[in-house]
Amino acid sequence: MPATVFDPPERFVAGTVGPPGGRTFFLQASDAGRVVSVSLEKMQVSVLADRVNDLLDAHAEGTATEPVGDGDTDPLTTPIEDEFRVDTLSLAWDLERSVLVIECHDQDPEEVGEGVLQTLRVVLSAPAARAFARRCAKVISAGRPACPFCGQPLDPSGHICPRANGYRR
């Protein structure tokens, strides 16, 4: 299976394109002039951030896991052309190197032609992984605000709230 490896990347971030409610989520890795972007679901970004934090809490004891500064707040590098849509994400902690390995796998490698990217592998230090997880959380929370009554996302025009007996909020 062909893989593109960033060990380590100069930059690895989550980001979005589009307005809240219509955003497309991306992971983007870059180094030495090459940029690879993959698209994925909002829930995948959320779960990835949670699991990265869990792995760091469990395995990165004794290493500095807190990022320095506010982290990367720059937008995604343009133009954004996703190499593939992520179906499966995998995480591993490399005990020998004390690094986190994130792999993004294509939806259906059987149907992808030869020479097409099928796996993106990114190797991150503990502080870089923690900074990545924090950015993921910020990207997720930057969407539509939640309805104070039902918790569902509010569109700019409001929404039909089940807790308000179907009245628009």
Side-chain angles (χ1 to χ4, degrees), residues 68-69 89 163:
V68 179
L89 291 162
R163 298 249 345 244

Side-chain angles (χ1 to χ4, degrees), residues 110-169:
E110 303 281 326
E111 294 180 12
V112 177
E114 193 170 318
V116 176
L117 177 67
Q118 294 182 29
T119 299
L120 171 64
R121 182 178 302 124
V122 179
V123 180
L124 299 172
S125 66
R130 187 72 76 183
F132 169 75
R134 285 192 179 161
R135 176 165 172 146
C136 286
K138 286 179 185 177
V139 166
I140 294 296
S141 66
R144 296 176 286 175
C147 172
F149 298 106
C150 69
Q152 293 181 7
L154 286 173
D155 290 324
S157 62
H159 79 121
I160 298 174
C161 182
R163 298 249 345 244
N165 293 327
Y167 288 98
R168 186 168 288 280
R169 293 262 177 207

Side-chain angles (χ1 to χ4, degrees), residues 2-60:
T4 296
V5 180
F6 290 85
D7 185 4
E10 289 176 7
R11 183 174 192 232
F12 182 59
V13 295
T16 62
V17 173
R23 299 185 296 170
T24 301
F25 289 78
F26 293 94
L27 296 179
Q28 192 174 72
S30 60
D31 70 3
R34 70 181 173 147
V35 177
V36 174
S37 301
V38 295
S39 60
L40 66 169
E41 297 294 326
K42 177 181 180 179
M43 187 55 67
Q44 289 174 302
V45 176
S46 179
V47 170
L48 179 59
D50 291 343
R51 296 303 169 255
V52 165
N53 282 324
D54 291 346
L55 267 174
L56 290 173
D57 292 344
H59 298 289

Side-chain angles (χ1 to χ4, degrees), residues 90-109:
S90 59
L91 296 174
W93 182 257
D94 184 335
L95 287 171
E96 291 179 13
R97 296 176 55 198
S98 294
V99 294
L100 180 75
V101 180
I102 300 173
E103 286 189 352
C104 305
H105 304 282
D106 199 349
Q107 287 183 339
D108 192 358

